[in-house]
């Protein structure tokens, strides 16, 4: 679903996405991937409880290794860290991008970021005189 909402790559290859599912999560495709592997592991684990001989062998619980491995890769190794670093390198410092990153859930779809208007369009958070967390002198 997330890939279906992705705009054409050639037309928008220099813009970051804030529409569709990306309005609710910066990486909805990663969330969907992890959810899919969790569902597969749940099905395998549930099927393992109904052994014909009535004995629980426990091997079906190994199915949980797949979503754990996938989540580890996406959240800590090759997924989120690399994509977030590339985004910071490409768009870091742009007020719209900083607003989006600050106000949008990284993985789990959640409430969308408020629309950036001239009233809340000051410097991004963390910069002198900027948004949330900036210390006043």
């Amino acid at each position: 679903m997330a890939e279906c909402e992705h705009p054409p790559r050639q037309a928008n290859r220099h813009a970051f996405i804030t529409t569709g599912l990306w309005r609710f999560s910066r990486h909805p495709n990663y969330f969907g991937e992890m959810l899919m592997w969790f569902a597969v592991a749940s099905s395998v684990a549930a099927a393992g409880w109904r052994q014909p001989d009535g004995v629980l062998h426990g091997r079906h619980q190994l199915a949980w290794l797949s979503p754990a491995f996938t989540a580890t890769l996406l959240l800590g190794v090759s997924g989120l860290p690399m994509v977030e670093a590339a985004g910071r390198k490409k768009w870091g410092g742009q007020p719209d991008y900083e607003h989006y990153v600050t106000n949008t859930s990284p993985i789990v779809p959640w409430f969308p970021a408020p629309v950036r208007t001239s009233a809340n369009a000051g410097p991004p958070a963390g910069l002198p005189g900027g948004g949330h967390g900036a210390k006043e002198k």
Side-chain angles (χ1 to χ4, degrees):
M1 181 70 170
E3 287 297 320
C4 293
E5 291 196 4
H6 204 290
R9 295 181 196 270
Q10 292 301 320
N12 296 306
R13 68 182 219 208
H14 297 293
F16 58 94
I17 306 168
T18 59
T19 58
L21 292 176
W22 278 264
R23 184 172 175 232
F24 303 96
S25 168
R26 294 195 312 263
H27 305 284
N29 47 340
Y30 292 170
F31 178 72
E33 180 82 12
M34 290 186 293
L35 191 63
M36 189 249 340
W37 285 112
F38 179 83
V40 169
S42 296
S43 297
V44 170
W49 288 109
R50 303 189 189 277
Q51 296 291 324
D53 59 4
V55 178
L56 295 177
H57 299 286
R59 289 185 302 238
H60 59 281
Q61 295 300 334
L62 293 174
W64 292 107
L65 292 176
S66 180
F69 181 69
T70 301
T72 300
L73 286 178
L74 291 177
L75 298 176
V77 180
S78 64
L80 192 67
M82 291 175 72
V83 172
E84 292 280 315
R88 281 191 304 275
K89 183 178 178 182
K90 192 169 189 176
W91 301 296
Q94 291 182 17
D96 288 340
Y97 180 73
E98 297 296 335
H99 174 78
Y100 175 68
V101 168
T102 303
N103 295 290
T104 306
S105 171
I107 297 290
V108 179
W110 199 244
F111 297 104
V115 175
R116 189 170 180 272
T117 63
S118 59
N120 65 5
L127 295 179
H132 308 289
K135 295 182 180 179
E136 296 292 327
K137 291 188 178 182

